[in-house]
Amino acid sequence: MPRKSLYDVNAIMEQAVDIFLEHSFHGAVMEEIIARTEFNRRGFYLEFGSKQQFLYDTLSYYHEHTLAPIVQHLENHHGIASIEAFFDAYISAMFGRGCLLINMVTELGHDDTTIQSIGRHYLDRLQLGFIGCLEQAQRQGTVKAEINVEAVALQLTCFVQGFAVNSILAETKEELHIATQALLNPIITA
Amino acid sequence: MPRKSLYDVNAIMEQAVDIFLEHSFHGAVMEEIIARTEFNRRGFYLEFGSKQQFLYDTLSYYHEHTLAPIVQHLENHHGIASIEAFFDAYISAMFGRGCLLINMVTELGHDDTTIQSIGRHYLDRLQLGFIGCLEQAQRQGTVKAEINVEAVALQLTCFVQGFAVNSILAETKEELHIATQALLNPIITA
DNA sequence: TTTTTAAAAGAATAAACGTTCTAAATGTAG
DNA sequence: CTACATTTAGAACGTTTATTCTTTTAAAAA
């Protein structure tokens, strides 16, 4: 029997997310990927085949382990509380780092249809999540009855991407929370 | 007397913006930059010194010719009308392309302090522009007196970056306009 | 027209990069 | 303990990249 490989794919993915967040896709060179992960070159290419495929897998891991659990808050359908929980979790995850998916959309989105499609699915899921929460909140009477649910959801979805960008430059978490409050205040019943 | 150079730096900058928007910084190779601009290699390095400096100059051109005229709307201090004019102009400029400055912030923002600083200045200017318009609008009675001007300005600034990202993936301009309306409606006096 | 000077074109260069290959090391089964 | 299969480490390879150099071309002043 042969020896078993020493590396833990999940741990590697975790570091890959950091590396791609720090340096972008093209800015992250194989040298650093090999050095900072517990990989050896051969293992890397046996496991992933190419740097490009490695990005896709990392993105998939990031979606599953970072984005999906946050979006999950919206899918609990607890109205406005879910939306607030979502933003709290989102700010914590993004602050000082930004969002890997959004970074890949801005870097590769024009050329790479795979990234485009992942990005669009993510936006759709957000949009549907917000709609569900807002409808629930309207039934509960916690948001104003007169708001246009789809339009507000579109606005919230857009806002989330703004957070992803601002998180890279923001000096403090505070301003992100203040912006969220300004966003939610007007739709909440007094 | 020697012959004069044939290239027009402004025209080149215009194309450079397109190239960097399409392929990102690292994704844009000198081969294409030389081929798509009316440049020859020697002229390029005589004029800019390096690809990196070329990016900075392109970014400066982009700020002056694309972003600044749009932000200018906010500096007219015509209250809510200025804000609406700003968003109309912004959506037109970004749709299907995204924002070069924001793309460079997401791609290079962690490593490159020059880009960081350009990005922060831009966000500050937006923030101040929104504050000026909102205060003016409050004096005119066109936005509600009870809103927290700084918080709403923070929210609008954040929203703008979300537009920059969504513009890359959005199918139609319509959804961007709808989101803007949802954003502005709650602060406008009935 | 001649001379001069710089631009244009693109070949050349050296470094960096993604990927593959080689040889040594090591865990496991018999 | 031996033999094997596979990992590990990192040297090697072929491309691609940014940058420089060389040669040819052409505008403009004398």
Side-chain angles (χ1 to χ4, degrees), chain B residues 101-140:
Chain B
L101 175 50
I102 292 311
N103 288 7
M104 293 305 107
V105 165
T106 57
E107 183 181 355
L108 309 171
H110 283 91
D111 290 326
D112 187 319
T113 55
T114 304
I115 301 279
Q116 267 173 37
S117 145
I118 297 173
R120 290 219 177 89
H121 275 96
Y122 170 64
L123 291 191
D124 285 349
R125 190 167 164 200
L126 269 182
Q127 172 75 5
L128 290 175
F130 281 128
I131 287 175
C133 284
L134 289 170
E135 284 174 344
Q136 170 73 4
Q138 271 188 333
R139 282 193 293 276
Q140 292 171 334

mmCIF file of all heavy atoms in Angstrom, chain B residues 101-140:
data_model
loop_
_atom_site.group_PDB
_atom_site.id
_atom_site.type_symbol
_atom_site.label_atom_id
_atom_site.label_comp_id
_atom_site.label_asym_id
_atom_site.label_seq_id
_atom_site.Cartn_x
_atom_site.Cartn_y
_atom_site.Cartn_z
ATOM 1 N N LEU B 101 -11.896 52.250 -11.645
ATOM 2 C CA LEU B 101 -11.297 52.494 -10.324
ATOM 3 C C LEU B 101 -11.675 51.390 -9.334
ATOM 4 O O LEU B 101 -10.811 50.860 -8.622
ATOM 5 C CB LEU B 101 -11.730 53.874 -9.814
ATOM 6 C CG LEU B 101 -11.288 54.248 -8.398
ATOM 7 C CD1 LEU B 101 -9.809 54.016 -8.188
ATOM 8 C CD2 LEU B 101 -11.656 55.701 -8.108
ATOM 9 N N ILE B 102 -12.951 51.039 -9.327
ATOM 10 C CA ILE B 102 -13.400 49.988 -8.404
ATOM 11 C C ILE B 102 -12.761 48.649 -8.769
ATOM 12 O O ILE B 102 -12.335 47.899 -7.893
ATOM 13 C CB ILE B 102 -14.943 49.891 -8.423
ATOM 14 C CG1 ILE B 102 -15.547 51.155 -7.809
ATOM 15 C CG2 ILE B 102 -15.417 48.652 -7.679
ATOM 16 C CD1 ILE B 102 -14.952 51.559 -6.482
ATOM 17 N N ASN B 103 -12.655 48.360 -10.047
ATOM 18 C CA ASN B 103 -12.003 47.114 -10.459
ATOM 19 C C ASN B 103 -10.548 47.072 -9.991
ATOM 20 O O ASN B 103 -10.061 46.022 -9.559
ATOM 21 C CB ASN B 103 -12.042 46.962 -11.981
ATOM 22 C CG ASN B 103 -13.426 46.644 -12.496
ATOM 23 O OD1 ASN B 103 -14.388 46.657 -11.734
ATOM 24 N ND2 ASN B 103 -13.550 46.369 -13.776
ATOM 25 N N MET B 104 -9.886 48.189 -10.071
ATOM 26 C CA MET B 104 -8.478 48.223 -9.640
ATOM 27 C C MET B 104 -8.375 48.118 -8.119
ATOM 28 O O MET B 104 -7.426 47.534 -7.592
ATOM 29 C CB MET B 104 -7.785 49.501 -10.144
ATOM 30 C CG MET B 104 -7.619 49.556 -11.655
ATOM 31 S SD MET B 104 -6.758 48.114 -12.365
ATOM 32 C CE MET B 104 -8.093 47.246 -13.173
ATOM 33 N N VAL B 105 -9.375 48.658 -7.427
ATOM 34 C CA VAL B 105 -9.374 48.520 -5.967
ATOM 35 C C VAL B 105 -9.550 47.048 -5.584
ATOM 36 O O VAL B 105 -8.835 46.540 -4.714
ATOM 37 C CB VAL B 105 -10.488 49.370 -5.325
ATOM 38 C CG1 VAL B 105 -10.725 48.953 -3.871
ATOM 39 C CG2 VAL B 105 -10.128 50.849 -5.385
ATOM 40 N N THR B 106 -10.457 46.352 -6.247
ATOM 41 C CA THR B 106 -10.660 44.942 -5.888
ATOM 42 C C THR B 106 -9.482 44.077 -6.351
ATOM 43 O O THR B 106 -9.142 43.098 -5.698
ATOM 44 C CB THR B 106 -11.975 44.378 -6.479
ATOM 45 O OG1 THR B 106 -11.955 44.547 -7.886
ATOM 46 C CG2 THR B 106 -13.184 45.073 -5.898
ATOM 47 N N GLU B 107 -8.852 44.454 -7.450
ATOM 48 C CA GLU B 107 -7.734 43.637 -7.933
ATOM 49 C C GLU B 107 -6.436 43.930 -7.180
ATOM 50 O O GLU B 107 -5.704 43.003 -6.815
ATOM 51 C CB GLU B 107 -7.502 43.847 -9.442
ATOM 52 C CG GLU B 107 -6.391 42.951 -9.990
ATOM 53 C CD GLU B 107 -6.132 43.157 -11.475
ATOM 54 O OE1 GLU B 107 -6.878 43.929 -12.109
ATOM 55 O OE2 GLU B 107 -5.183 42.552 -11.992
ATOM 56 N N LEU B 108 -6.148 45.206 -6.976
ATOM 57 C CA LEU B 108 -4.820 45.578 -6.465
ATOM 58 C C LEU B 108 -4.853 46.243 -5.095
ATOM 59 O O LEU B 108 -3.801 46.522 -4.517
ATOM 60 C CB LEU B 108 -4.144 46.526 -7.467
ATOM 61 C CG LEU B 108 -4.124 46.061 -8.930
ATOM 62 C CD1 LEU B 108 -3.639 47.176 -9.842
ATOM 63 C CD2 LEU B 108 -3.250 44.827 -9.092
ATOM 64 N N GLY B 109 -6.059 46.489 -4.596
ATOM 65 C CA GLY B 109 -6.214 47.300 -3.382
ATOM 66 C C GLY B 109 -5.480 46.796 -2.153
ATOM 67 O O GLY B 109 -5.111 47.585 -1.293
ATOM 68 N N HIS B 110 -5.247 45.485 -2.071
ATOM 69 C CA HIS B 110 -4.574 44.975 -0.874
ATOM 70 C C HIS B 110 -3.072 45.230 -0.898
ATOM 71 O O HIS B 110 -2.443 45.390 0.144
ATOM 72 C CB HIS B 110 -4.826 43.475 -0.713
ATOM 73 C CG HIS B 110 -6.185 43.143 -0.182
ATOM 74 N ND1 HIS B 110 -7.264 42.911 -0.998
ATOM 75 C CD2 HIS B 110 -6.660 43.052 1.084
ATOM 76 C CE1 HIS B 110 -8.325 42.654 -0.258
ATOM 77 N NE2 HIS B 110 -7.987 42.737 1.007
ATOM 78 N N ASP B 111 -2.517 45.269 -2.095
ATOM 79 C CA ASP B 111 -1.065 45.390 -2.225
ATOM 80 C C ASP B 111 -0.603 46.814 -2.512
ATOM 81 O O ASP B 111 0.495 47.196 -2.131
ATOM 82 C CB ASP B 111 -0.570 44.505 -3.398
ATOM 83 C CG ASP B 111 -0.687 43.031 -3.076
ATOM 84 O OD1 ASP B 111 -0.506 42.674 -1.903
ATOM 85 O OD2 ASP B 111 -0.953 42.250 -4.005
ATOM 86 N N ASP B 112 -1.427 47.561 -3.224
ATOM 87 C CA ASP B 112 -0.965 48.804 -3.830
ATOM 88 C C ASP B 112 -1.540 50.005 -3.081
ATOM 89 O O ASP B 112 -2.715 50.337 -3.192
ATOM 90 C CB ASP B 112 -1.421 48.804 -5.293
ATOM 91 C CG ASP B 112 -0.855 49.971 -6.071
ATOM 92 O OD1 ASP B 112 -0.814 51.089 -5.519
ATOM 93 O OD2 ASP B 112 -0.453 49.773 -7.228
ATOM 94 N N THR B 113 -0.661 50.692 -2.339
ATOM 95 C CA THR B 113 -1.147 51.800 -1.508
ATOM 96 C C THR B 113 -1.557 53.013 -2.350
ATOM 97 O O THR B 113 -2.375 53.817 -1.910
ATOM 98 C CB THR B 113 -0.071 52.222 -0.495
ATOM 99 O OG1 THR B 113 1.125 52.530 -1.197
ATOM 100 C CG2 THR B 113 0.211 51.095 0.493
ATOM 101 N N THR B 114 -0.986 53.137 -3.540
ATOM 102 C CA THR B 114 -1.400 54.224 -4.432
ATOM 103 C C THR B 114 -2.869 54.064 -4.806
ATOM 104 O O THR B 114 -3.647 55.022 -4.751
ATOM 105 C CB THR B 114 -0.537 54.229 -5.710
ATOM 106 O OG1 THR B 114 0.835 54.320 -5.348
ATOM 107 C CG2 THR B 114 -0.913 55.385 -6.617
ATOM 108 N N ILE B 115 -3.232 52.854 -5.196
ATOM 109 C CA ILE B 115 -4.618 52.569 -5.563
ATOM 110 C C ILE B 115 -5.530 52.772 -4.350
ATOM 111 O O ILE B 115 -6.614 53.373 -4.461
ATOM 112 C CB ILE B 115 -4.760 51.115 -6.068
ATOM 113 C CG1 ILE B 115 -3.857 50.867 -7.282
ATOM 114 C CG2 ILE B 115 -6.215 50.788 -6.383
ATOM 115 C CD1 ILE B 115 -4.407 51.338 -8.587
ATOM 116 N N GLN B 116 -5.102 52.273 -3.218
ATOM 117 C CA GLN B 116 -5.869 52.476 -1.979
ATOM 118 C C GLN B 116 -6.185 53.939 -1.770
ATOM 119 O O GLN B 116 -7.327 54.312 -1.479
ATOM 120 C CB GLN B 116 -5.039 52.030 -0.771
ATOM 121 C CG GLN B 116 -5.247 50.608 -0.322
ATOM 122 C CD GLN B 116 -4.243 50.244 0.768
ATOM 123 O OE1 GLN B 116 -3.900 51.061 1.622
ATOM 124 N NE2 GLN B 116 -3.780 49.015 0.709
ATOM 125 N N SER B 117 -5.167 54.738 -1.913
ATOM 126 C CA SER B 117 -5.328 56.161 -1.623
ATOM 127 C C SER B 117 -6.243 56.838 -2.644
ATOM 128 O O SER B 117 -7.094 57.662 -2.282
ATOM 129 C CB SER B 117 -3.939 56.787 -1.558
ATOM 130 O OG SER B 117 -3.949 58.078 -2.065
ATOM 131 N N ILE B 118 -6.099 56.483 -3.928
ATOM 132 C CA ILE B 118 -7.006 57.021 -4.944
ATOM 133 C C ILE B 118 -8.439 56.605 -4.617
ATOM 134 O O ILE B 118 -9.369 57.411 -4.670
ATOM 135 C CB ILE B 118 -6.615 56.517 -6.355
ATOM 136 C CG1 ILE B 118 -5.218 57.008 -6.737
ATOM 137 C CG2 ILE B 118 -7.633 56.968 -7.392
ATOM 138 C CD1 ILE B 118 -4.691 56.420 -8.026
ATOM 139 N N GLY B 119 -8.611 55.355 -4.253
ATOM 140 C CA GLY B 119 -9.940 54.841 -3.923
ATOM 141 C C GLY B 119 -10.557 55.565 -2.737
ATOM 142 O O GLY B 119 -11.726 55.948 -2.786
ATOM 143 N N ARG B 120 -9.754 55.782 -1.700
ATOM 144 C CA ARG B 120 -10.285 56.448 -0.505
ATOM 145 C C ARG B 120 -10.666 57.894 -0.801
ATOM 146 O O ARG B 120 -11.698 58.378 -0.337
ATOM 147 C CB ARG B 120 -9.248 56.417 0.620
ATOM 148 C CG ARG B 120 -9.036 55.033 1.197
ATOM 149 C CD ARG B 120 -8.853 55.059 2.708
ATOM 150 N NE ARG B 120 -8.733 53.701 3.213
ATOM 151 C CZ ARG B 120 -7.559 53.048 3.319
ATOM 152 N NH1 ARG B 120 -6.442 53.656 2.944
ATOM 153 N NH2 ARG B 120 -7.532 51.823 3.793
ATOM 154 N N HIS B 121 -9.836 58.581 -1.574
ATOM 155 C CA HIS B 121 -10.161 59.960 -1.932
ATOM 156 C C HIS B 121 -11.475 60.039 -2.697
ATOM 157 O O HIS B 121 -12.292 60.930 -2.478
ATOM 158 C CB HIS B 121 -9.034 60.574 -2.769
ATOM 159 C CG HIS B 121 -7.932 61.144 -1.953
ATOM 160 N ND1 HIS B 121 -6.785 60.452 -1.661
ATOM 161 C CD2 HIS B 121 -7.816 62.351 -1.323
ATOM 162 C CE1 HIS B 121 -6.001 61.203 -0.901
ATOM 163 N NE2 HIS B 121 -6.595 62.346 -0.677
ATOM 164 N N TYR B 122 -11.642 59.093 -3.607
ATOM 165 C CA TYR B 122 -12.864 59.060 -4.414
ATOM 166 C C TYR B 122 -14.081 58.843 -3.523
ATOM 167 O O TYR B 122 -15.089 59.547 -3.639
ATOM 168 C CB TYR B 122 -12.726 57.964 -5.463
ATOM 169 C CG TYR B 122 -13.988 57.642 -6.227
ATOM 170 C CD1 TYR B 122 -14.593 58.580 -7.050
ATOM 171 C CD2 TYR B 122 -14.571 56.377 -6.131
ATOM 172 C CE1 TYR B 122 -15.751 58.274 -7.749
ATOM 173 C CE2 TYR B 122 -15.715 56.054 -6.831
ATOM 174 C CZ TYR B 122 -16.301 57.012 -7.643
ATOM 175 O OH TYR B 122 -17.441 56.698 -8.329
ATOM 176 N N LEU B 123 -13.998 57.891 -2.604
ATOM 177 C CA LEU B 123 -15.127 57.633 -1.702
ATOM 178 C C LEU B 123 -15.418 58.856 -0.829
ATOM 179 O O LEU B 123 -16.577 59.216 -0.607
ATOM 180 C CB LEU B 123 -14.841 56.419 -0.807
ATOM 181 C CG LEU B 123 -14.789 55.046 -1.480
ATOM 182 C CD1 LEU B 123 -14.769 53.937 -0.438
ATOM 183 C CD2 LEU B 123 -15.959 54.838 -2.429
ATOM 184 N N ASP B 124 -14.363 59.504 -0.361
ATOM 185 C CA ASP B 124 -14.555 60.707 0.456
ATOM 186 C C ASP B 124 -15.271 61.797 -0.328
ATOM 187 O O ASP B 124 -16.161 62.474 0.189
ATOM 188 C CB ASP B 124 -13.193 61.248 0.936
ATOM 189 C CG ASP B 124 -12.617 60.410 2.059
ATOM 190 O OD1 ASP B 124 -13.352 59.553 2.587
ATOM 191 O OD2 ASP B 124 -11.440 60.608 2.400
ATOM 192 N N ARG B 125 -14.850 61.950 -1.571
ATOM 193 C CA ARG B 125 -15.453 63.005 -2.389
ATOM 194 C C ARG B 125 -16.932 62.722 -2.640
ATOM 195 O O ARG B 125 -17.774 63.623 -2.590
ATOM 196 C CB ARG B 125 -14.695 63.102 -3.708
ATOM 197 C CG ARG B 125 -15.098 64.322 -4.514
ATOM 198 C CD ARG B 125 -14.135 64.564 -5.650
ATOM 199 N NE ARG B 125 -14.735 65.489 -6.616
ATOM 200 C CZ ARG B 125 -14.322 65.607 -7.872
ATOM 201 N NH1 ARG B 125 -13.313 64.887 -8.311
ATOM 202 N NH2 ARG B 125 -14.917 66.458 -8.686
ATOM 203 N N LEU B 126 -17.238 61.455 -2.909
ATOM 204 C CA LEU B 126 -18.634 61.057 -3.080
ATOM 205 C C LEU B 126 -19.427 61.375 -1.820
ATOM 206 O O LEU B 126 -20.505 61.975 -1.864
ATOM 207 C CB LEU B 126 -18.716 59.549 -3.337
ATOM 208 C CG LEU B 126 -18.682 59.054 -4.765
ATOM 209 C CD1 LEU B 126 -18.815 57.545 -4.781
ATOM 210 C CD2 LEU B 126 -19.799 59.692 -5.584
ATOM 211 N N GLN B 127 -18.884 60.939 -0.698
ATOM 212 C CA GLN B 127 -19.536 61.118 0.595
ATOM 213 C C GLN B 127 -19.835 62.599 0.850
ATOM 214 O O GLN B 127 -20.965 62.969 1.200
ATOM 215 C CB GLN B 127 -18.621 60.539 1.679
ATOM 216 C CG GLN B 127 -19.046 60.791 3.112
ATOM 217 C CD GLN B 127 -20.215 59.915 3.517
ATOM 218 O OE1 GLN B 127 -20.658 59.062 2.770
ATOM 219 N NE2 GLN B 127 -20.734 60.164 4.706
ATOM 220 N N LEU B 128 -18.834 63.450 0.633
ATOM 221 C CA LEU B 128 -19.023 64.886 0.844
ATOM 222 C C LEU B 128 -20.044 65.455 -0.139
ATOM 223 O O LEU B 128 -20.864 66.303 0.226
ATOM 224 C CB LEU B 128 -17.687 65.622 0.708
ATOM 225 C CG LEU B 128 -16.705 65.352 1.845
ATOM 226 C CD1 LEU B 128 -15.361 66.028 1.578
ATOM 227 C CD2 LEU B 128 -17.291 65.825 3.187
ATOM 228 N N GLY B 129 -19.998 64.993 -1.370
ATOM 229 C CA GLY B 129 -20.965 65.442 -2.371
ATOM 230 C C GLY B 129 -22.383 65.109 -1.962
ATOM 231 O O GLY B 129 -23.286 65.953 -2.047
ATOM 232 N N PHE B 130 -22.586 63.885 -1.498
ATOM 233 C CA PHE B 130 -23.934 63.477 -1.073
ATOM 234 C C PHE B 130 -24.389 64.308 0.129
ATOM 235 O O PHE B 130 -25.540 64.738 0.205
ATOM 236 C CB PHE B 130 -23.967 61.986 -0.734
ATOM 237 C CG PHE B 130 -24.050 61.094 -1.946
ATOM 238 C CD1 PHE B 130 -23.148 60.049 -2.131
ATOM 239 C CD2 PHE B 130 -25.047 61.283 -2.911
ATOM 240 C CE1 PHE B 130 -23.236 59.222 -3.244
ATOM 241 C CE2 PHE B 130 -25.135 60.461 -4.031
ATOM 242 C CZ PHE B 130 -24.221 59.429 -4.193
ATOM 243 N N ILE B 131 -23.479 64.518 1.079
ATOM 244 C CA ILE B 131 -23.842 65.312 2.265
ATOM 245 C C ILE B 131 -24.294 66.715 1.844
ATOM 246 O O ILE B 131 -25.347 67.203 2.283
ATOM 247 C CB ILE B 131 -22.649 65.404 3.246
ATOM 248 C CG1 ILE B 131 -22.443 64.048 3.944
ATOM 249 C CG2 ILE B 131 -22.880 66.490 4.293
ATOM 250 C CD1 ILE B 131 -21.221 63.996 4.849
ATOM 251 N N GLY B 132 -23.528 67.337 0.950
ATOM 252 C CA GLY B 132 -23.890 68.683 0.481
ATOM 253 C C GLY B 132 -25.271 68.710 -0.143
ATOM 254 O O GLY B 132 -26.095 69.581 0.161
ATOM 255 N N CYS B 133 -25.550 67.740 -1.005
ATOM 256 C CA CYS B 133 -26.853 67.693 -1.687
ATOM 257 C C CYS B 133 -27.982 67.434 -0.700
ATOM 258 O O CYS B 133 -29.068 68.036 -0.815
ATOM 259 C CB CYS B 133 -26.859 66.609 -2.750
ATOM 260 S SG CYS B 133 -25.955 67.073 -4.222
ATOM 261 N N LEU B 134 -27.749 66.552 0.241
ATOM 262 C CA LEU B 134 -28.810 66.215 1.190
ATOM 263 C C LEU B 134 -29.121 67.409 2.104
ATOM 264 O O LEU B 134 -30.296 67.678 2.396
ATOM 265 C CB LEU B 134 -28.402 64.988 2.023
ATOM 266 C CG LEU B 134 -28.393 63.659 1.260
ATOM 267 C CD1 LEU B 134 -27.739 62.552 2.082
ATOM 268 C CD2 LEU B 134 -29.828 63.251 0.859
ATOM 269 N N GLU B 135 -28.089 68.116 2.517
ATOM 270 C CA GLU B 135 -28.323 69.296 3.361
ATOM 271 C C GLU B 135 -29.101 70.354 2.590
ATOM 272 O O GLU B 135 -30.051 70.956 3.111
ATOM 273 C CB GLU B 135 -26.983 69.862 3.863
ATOM 274 C CG GLU B 135 -26.395 69.020 4.990
ATOM 275 C CD GLU B 135 -25.001 69.487 5.390
ATOM 276 O OE1 GLU B 135 -24.372 70.251 4.618
ATOM 277 O OE2 GLU B 135 -24.539 69.071 6.480
ATOM 278 N N GLN B 136 -28.679 70.558 1.348
ATOM 279 C CA GLN B 136 -29.393 71.500 0.473
ATOM 280 C C GLN B 136 -30.852 71.078 0.321
ATOM 281 O O GLN B 136 -31.772 71.907 0.426
ATOM 282 C CB GLN B 136 -28.684 71.508 -0.890
ATOM 283 C CG GLN B 136 -29.417 72.253 -1.992
ATOM 284 C CD GLN B 136 -29.341 73.764 -1.802
ATOM 285 O OE1 GLN B 136 -28.687 74.251 -0.882
ATOM 286 N NE2 GLN B 136 -30.055 74.494 -2.637
ATOM 287 N N ALA B 137 -31.059 69.793 0.091
ATOM 288 C CA ALA B 137 -32.425 69.280 -0.104
ATOM 289 C C ALA B 137 -33.268 69.447 1.161
ATOM 290 O O ALA B 137 -34.470 69.743 1.087
ATOM 291 C CB ALA B 137 -32.381 67.820 -0.520
ATOM 292 N N GLN B 138 -32.610 69.272 2.294
ATOM 293 C CA GLN B 138 -33.351 69.476 3.550
ATOM 294 C C GLN B 138 -33.788 70.932 3.685
ATOM 295 O O GLN B 138 -34.922 71.218 4.083
ATOM 296 C CB GLN B 138 -32.487 69.080 4.747
ATOM 297 C CG GLN B 138 -32.615 67.615 5.112
ATOM 298 C CD GLN B 138 -31.903 67.274 6.410
ATOM 299 O OE1 GLN B 138 -30.937 67.923 6.796
ATOM 300 N NE2 GLN B 138 -32.387 66.246 7.080
ATOM 301 N N ARG B 139 -32.919 71.851 3.332
ATOM 302 C CA ARG B 139 -33.277 73.277 3.388
ATOM 303 C C ARG B 139 -34.428 73.573 2.436
ATOM 304 O O ARG B 139 -35.314 74.363 2.743
ATOM 305 C CB ARG B 139 -32.061 74.145 3.023
ATOM 306 C CG ARG B 139 -31.049 74.300 4.157
ATOM 307 C CD ARG B 139 -30.048 75.417 3.867
ATOM 308 N NE ARG B 139 -29.165 75.123 2.734
ATOM 309 C CZ ARG B 139 -28.043 74.405 2.849
ATOM 310 N NH1 ARG B 139 -27.681 73.914 4.014
ATOM 311 N NH2 ARG B 139 -27.299 74.189 1.786
ATOM 312 N N GLN B 140 -34.394 72.881 1.277
ATOM 313 C CA GLN B 140 -35.471 73.079 0.289
ATOM 314 C C GLN B 140 -36.746 72.340 0.689
ATOM 315 O O GLN B 140 -37.788 72.506 0.058
ATOM 316 C CB GLN B 140 -35.021 72.546 -1.080
ATOM 317 C CG GLN B 140 -33.909 73.350 -1.734
ATOM 318 C CD GLN B 140 -33.371 72.646 -2.973
ATOM 319 O OE1 GLN B 140 -33.439 71.424 -3.092
ATOM 320 N NE2 GLN B 140 -32.832 73.425 -3.910
#
